[in-house]
C-alpha cells in the first residue's frame, strides 16, 4: 500500500503540541477560489453575525493547521503548478457596509459562487479518493480524548487508554487532553494516575468547549470511546478544523465506530507507527438568517425577498449564528400542535412549499439517522449529495429528493405562516425560526476526517446496515422441485 507523510510546518509548538501559530490558523487557506462571481443573495453575503460589519480584513497567504487543507493545497499545486488564489471578498461585500471586522476572518461556504462550490467539492472528492487507498503518517504530539463523561464504565476504560498513552514505553511523550469534568472524577482518579509517574502531571491536560472552539489546531489526533453519538459530539466540538478521529466502538449501533476497544493497544500502536487510512465525511454549514423587515408596516413575501426583484437592492436578513454538522439539519413544528409551513429554495430558484411536521436535510453520513426514520433514502457516505426528506408531509406526492452538494439550500418560514418553526443541528442547539426567518445550508469546507481500518472497503457500509438495521432481511424463498424428480418420487410411493 502506498504511504505518504503529512507535510509539517517547521514552526515551534504552541502550548505543547501545536504545529502552527494561532495567527496562521486565523489566516488559514482552505480551497482555491476563482475570480468569477455569480449572483448571490445579499443578505447571505453578510460575513459576520453583526449585519453592520461587512468587509473583512484582507487575508494573507499562509499555511493551514488543518491537515485536510494542507493536502488539498498540495494537490492543487501539483495539478496546476500555480500559487494559491485568494478569495476576492471585497467583490462579495461591495454592497455592504465598509466597517472592518478583525475578529471574524472566515469565509462561510454560503458566500461561495456555484463555480467555487463545485471546485471545492471536486477537490475534496479527489483527495478523499486518494486518502482511501493510502496510509497517512502523522507527527502526533497532542492527543484529544473524548468519552461519555456520565458513563462510569467508559470513564474507567478512558483512564486505561490515558495511562497507556502516557506510559514511558511509548515511542513519543504524548500530551493527552481529557475533558475537564474528569479532573475531579473518582472513577478517573486523575490524582492517582499522576502519582504513578511525576512526568504524567505535565502531560495530562484538560479541555473544555472553549478550547476546542478557539484552539482546535492544538490537537494532532483525536480518540473517542463510545458510540456514534460520541463521534457526533466530536464533530460538534470541532466546528471548523478537525483532527483525524479514531473511534472505538462502545455504543449501540456503530455506523461510524469501526475499531474494537479490546485491541486498542495494537490499533493505536499501528496507527502511530504505520499510518492511518482516512475517510473524509461531508459536513454541512448551516446559518440562521433573521428577517429585518418583519416589523415594517407592509406586506412581505419571502419568495420575493430571496429570489425576486426585491432581492437585488435590499438587505432583508442578517445572520444569527452558523453551525457545522455531520448528520442533519431538521426544521420542524417544535412544540406547536399544528404542522409547520416552510418554503424550500435551491440556489436562486424556488423549489416548493412544504406542509408537514418538518423537513430533514441530511448528509450521506446522516442518511441512516432521522432521514431513515422519515422515509428517506439510504446513501453511501462517499456520495457527494444532499438528501431532502419531508417529515410526515400532508400530501401523497412528496417524495424524498437527492441533490448535488454544490447547491445552496434555504429553508424558510413564510411571513404568513400560522406558527413559527424550530431548527436543530445534529440534534443540538434548538433554535426558533419566526415567520420571515430562514436557514441556509451548504457543503462545509471542513470535512470530518474519520479514521478507518486499513482493510476497509465499500462493503463495510453494506455490512453495517445489514448488521445494525437488518437491511433486506427476509427468509429465503423456497425453490421449485423439478417435474421429473417429483414424478420419480411419486412412482416410488406407488
Amino acid at each position: 500500500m502506498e504511504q505518504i507523510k503529512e507535510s509539517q510546518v517547521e514552526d515551534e509548538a504552541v502550548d505543547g503540541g501545536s504545529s502552527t501559530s494561532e495567527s496562521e490558523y486565523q489566516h488559514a487557506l482552505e480551497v482555491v477560489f476563482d475570480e468569477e462571481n455569480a449572483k448571490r443573495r445579499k443578505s447571505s453575503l453578510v460575513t459576520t453575525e453583526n449585519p453592520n460589519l461587512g468587509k473583512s480584513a484582507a487575508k494573507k497567504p499562509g499555511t493551514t493547521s488543518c491537515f485536510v487543507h494542507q493536502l488539498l493545497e498540495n494537490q492543487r499545486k501539483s495539478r496546476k503548478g500555480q500559487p494559491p488564489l485568494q478569495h476576492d471578498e471585497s467583490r462579495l461585500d461591495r454592497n455592504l457596509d465598509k466597517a472592518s471586522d478583525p475578529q471574524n476572518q472566515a469565509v462561510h461556504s454560503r458566500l461561495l459562487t456555484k463555480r467555487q462550490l463545485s471546485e471545492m467539492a471536486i477537490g475534496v472528492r479527489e483527495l478523499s479518493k486518494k486518502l482511501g487507498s493510502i496510509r497517512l503518517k502523522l507527527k502526533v504530539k497532542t492527543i484529544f480524548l473524548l468519552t461519555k463523561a456520565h458513563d462510569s464504565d467508559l470513564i474507567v476504560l478512558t483512564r486505561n487508554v490515558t495511562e497507556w498513552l502516557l506510559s514511558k514505553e511509548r515511542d513519543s511523550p504524548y500530551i493527552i487532553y481529557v475533558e475537564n469534568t474528569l479532573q475531579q472524577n473518582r472513577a478517573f482518579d486523575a490524582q492517582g494516575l499522576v502519582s504513578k509517574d511525576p512526568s504524567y502531571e505535565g502531560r495530562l491536560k484538560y479541555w473544555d468547549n472553549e478550547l476546542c472552539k478557539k484552539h482546535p489546531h492544538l490537537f494532532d489526533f483525536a480518540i473517542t470511546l463510545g458510540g456514534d453519538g460520541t463521534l457526533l459530539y466530536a464533530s460538534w466540538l470541532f466546528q471548523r478544523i478537525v483532527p483525524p478521529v479514531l473511534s472505538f466502538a462502545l455504543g449501540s449501533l456503530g455506523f461510524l465506530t469501526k475499531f474494537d476497544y479490546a485491541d486498542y493497544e495494537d490499533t493505536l500502536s499501528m496507527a502511530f507507527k504505520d499510518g492511518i487510512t482516512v475517510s473524509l465525511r461531508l459536513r454541512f454549514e448551516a446559518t440562521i438568517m433573521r428577517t429585518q423587515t418583519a416589523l415594517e408596516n407592509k406586506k412581505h413575501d419571502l419568495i420575493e425577498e430571496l429570489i425576486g426583484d426585491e432581492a437585488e437592492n435590499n438587505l432583508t436578513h442578517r445572520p444569527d449564528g452558523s453551525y457545522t454538522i455531520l448528520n442533519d439539519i431538521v426544521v420542524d413544528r417544535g412544540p406547536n400542535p399544528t404542522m409547520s409551513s416552510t418554503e424550500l429554495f435551491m440556489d436562486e430558484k424556488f423549489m416548493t412549499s412544504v406542509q408537514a411536521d418538518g423537513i430533514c436535510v441530511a448528509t450521506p453520513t446522516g442518511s441512516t439517522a432521522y432521514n431513515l426514520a422519515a422515509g428517506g433514502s439510504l446513501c453511501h457516505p462517499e456520495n457527494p449529495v444532499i438528501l431532502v426528506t419531508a417529515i410526515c408531509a400532508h400530501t401523497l406526492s412528496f417524495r424524498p429528493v437527492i441533490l448535488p452538494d454544490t447547491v445552496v439550500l434555504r429553508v424558510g418560514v413564510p411571513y404568513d405562516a400560522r406558527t413559527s418553526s424550530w431548527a436543530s443541528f445534529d440534534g443540538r442547539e434548538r433554535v426558533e425560526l419566526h415567520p420571515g426567518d430562514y436557514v441556509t445550508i451548504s457543503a462545509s469546507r471542513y470535512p470530518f476526517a474519520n479514521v478507518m481500518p486499513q482493510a476497509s472497503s465499500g462493503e463495510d457500509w453494506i455490512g453495517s446496515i445489514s448488521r445494525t438495521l437488518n437491511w433486506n432481511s427476509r427468509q429465503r424463498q423456497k425453490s421449485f422441485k423439478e417435474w421429473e424428480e417429483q414424478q420419480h418420487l411419486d412412482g416410488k410411493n406407488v
Side-chain angles (χ1 to χ4, degrees):
M1 181 178 287
E2 185 183 357
Q3 186 178 104
I4 65 173
K5 182 175 287 189
E6 178 193 3
S7 59
Q8 296 287 335
V9 182
E10 298 298 329
D11 292 343
E12 296 181 357
V14 177
D15 195 17
S18 172
S19 58
T20 54
S21 67
E22 185 174 357
S23 61
E24 286 175 333
Y25 161 64
Q26 293 293 340
H27 295 289
L29 295 175
E30 283 84 24
V31 230
V32 180
F33 296 131
D34 192 80
E35 293 293 331
E36 298 181 9
N37 286 290
K39 177 183 176 183
R40 183 66 81 215
R41 270 288 295 135
K42 290 183 180 180
S43 292
S44 297
L45 298 183
V46 181
T47 59
T48 73
E49 297 184 7
N50 185 338
N52 295 321
L53 298 180
K55 186 176 179 181
S56 302
K59 294 180 177 63
K60 300 177 181 179
T63 56
T64 172
S65 52
C66 177
F67 89 101
V68 172
H69 294 141
Q70 286 180 353
L71 295 176
L72 275 173
E73 181 62 16
N74 292 339
Q75 174 180 279
R76 191 205 63 77
K77 288 181 179 179
S78 63
R79 183 171 65 245
K80 295 186 178 181
Q82 61 184 15
L85 295 175
Q86 295 301 305
H87 187 53
D88 188 3
E89 202 167 337
S90 61
R91 292 186 65 186
L92 284 176
D93 294 331
R94 61 177 178 263
N95 295 316
L96 303 178
D97 295 337
K98 303 301 182 180
S100 62
D101 179 20
Q103 295 182 349
N104 194 329
Q105 304 273 339
V107 178
H108 296 279
S109 62
R110 73 176 190 273
L111 300 174
L112 306 183
T113 65
K114 184 76 171 181
R115 182 168 181 175
Q116 291 167 349
L117 278 172
S118 299
E119 289 178 352
M120 176 196 73
I122 291 172
V124 172
R125 290 172 203 163
E126 291 179 355
L127 178 59
S128 180
K129 187 176 181 180
K130 291 180 180 179
L131 290 178
S133 59
I134 63 177
R135 284 181 295 171
L136 187 66
K137 293 199 70 173
L138 305 176
K139 294 181 180 179
V140 178
K141 296 180 181 179
T142 306
I143 298 175
F144 174 89
L145 205 54
L146 174 64
T147 190
K148 298 178 182 178
H150 59 274
D151 191 321
S152 58
D153 292 337
L154 291 186
I155 292 175
V156 173
L157 300 182
T158 303
R159 188 184 191 278
N160 296 339
V161 175
T162 303
E163 184 175 2
W164 184 85
L165 290 170
L166 289 172
S167 173
K168 291 182 178 180
E169 297 178 3
R170 306 288 78 77
D171 296 334
S172 177
Y174 300 119
I175 297 173
I176 311 301
Y177 277 84
V178 297
E179 192 169 358
N180 58 354
T181 57
L182 298 182
Q183 188 169 7
Q184 305 298 330
N185 188 282
R186 293 183 179 180
F188 188 77
D189 188 18
Q191 294 293 335
L193 184 61
V194 171
S195 65
K196 291 185 177 182
D197 191 320
S199 67
Y200 291 0
E201 185 173 4
R203 294 190 290 122
L204 178 60
K205 300 186 178 183
Y206 303 93
W207 60 263
D208 56 19
N209 292 10
E210 283 299 310
L211 183 65
C212 297
K213 179 181 179 181
K214 296 182 179 180
H215 305 286
H217 56 291
L218 292 179
F219 310 110
D220 303 312
F221 197 76
I223 300 172
T224 68
L225 289 84
D228 291 340
T230 307
L231 192 70
L232 286 174
Y233 185 45
S235 173
W236 183 260
L237 289 172
F238 296 101
Q239 286 285 292
R240 290 189 175 274
I241 293 176
V242 54
V245 180
L246 188 150
S247 301
F248 290 105
L250 292 167
S252 301
L253 293 180
F255 286 106
L256 301 172
T257 53
K258 302 296 185 182
F259 295 92
D260 188 356
Y261 174 81
D263 303 323
Y264 78 85
E265 295 182 4
D266 293 336
T267 299
L268 294 176
S269 296
M270 291 180 60
F272 298 147
K273 181 179 178 181
D274 301 330
I276 58 176
T277 300
V278 174
S279 171
L280 297 183
R281 296 295 184 106
L282 172 67
R283 296 201 293 177
F284 290 163
E285 178 189 283
T287 303
I288 301 291
M289 303 296 291
R290 299 292 187 186
T291 179
Q292 298 189 113
T293 61
L295 298 179
E296 296 179 4
N297 189 21
K298 65 176 183 178
K299 186 176 180 180
H300 296 281
D301 184 355
L302 186 61
I303 299 177
E304 180 66 21
E305 287 185 352
L306 295 189
I307 63 174
D309 294 336
E310 190 174 344
E312 289 296 320
N313 300 311
N314 293 325
L315 192 63
T316 57
H317 292 75
R318 60 176 178 83
D320 186 28
S322 292
Y323 310 92
T324 301
I325 61 96
L326 180 60
N327 253 10
D328 49 42
I329 297 112
V330 176
V331 179
D332 59 28
R333 67 180 187 175
N336 299 315
T338 60
M339 64 182 177
S340 66
S341 176
T342 55
E343 291 177 336
L344 187 62
F345 303 82
M346 182 178 68
D347 288 335
E348 304 304 324
K349 296 181 179 179
F350 172 71
M351 288 184 63
T352 186
S353 295
V354 182
Q355 308 290 324
D357 277 356
I359 188 167
C360 176
V361 181
T363 67
T365 298
S367 69
T368 54
Y370 202 163
N371 171 78
L372 171 65
S377 302
L378 289 176
C379 182
H380 193 281
E382 293 181 5
N383 285 327
V385 295
I386 300 174
L387 296 96
V388 181
T389 305
I391 303 170
C392 296
H394 196 250
T395 175
L396 297 176
S397 58
F398 194 104
R399 291 293 180 267
V401 293
I402 301 177
L403 305 173
D405 63 348
T406 56
V407 303
V408 176
L409 287 181
R410 296 179 184 85
V411 181
V413 182
Y415 283 99
D416 60 354
R418 293 184 177 183
T419 61
S420 60
S421 295
W422 292 75
S424 61
F425 309 89
D426 274 351
R428 298 176 179 272
E429 205 68 27
R430 197 87 161 140
V431 178
E432 185 175 8
L433 299 178
H434 302 281
D437 298 340
Y438 67 93
V439 184
T440 67
I441 304 168
S442 56
S444 172
R445 293 175 299 144
Y446 298 88
F448 186 84
N450 190 31
V451 178
M452 303 292 289
Q454 293 182 2
S456 64
S457 65
E459 298 176 358
D460 289 346
W461 182 75
I462 298 296
S464 67
I465 62 174
S466 299
R467 182 183 69 257
T468 58
L469 299 175
N470 292 324
W471 175 70
N472 199 31
S473 177
R474 181 189 184 277
Q475 184 176 353
R476 189 176 182 85
Q477 190 177 34
K478 294 181 178 180
S479 61
F480 287 117
K481 293 182 178 180
E482 295 292 338
W483 184 81
E484 293 82 359
E485 180 183 353
Q486 183 66 38
Q487 187 179 40
H488 178 70
L489 292 175
D490 292 343
K492 280 188 175 182
N493 293 332
V494 174

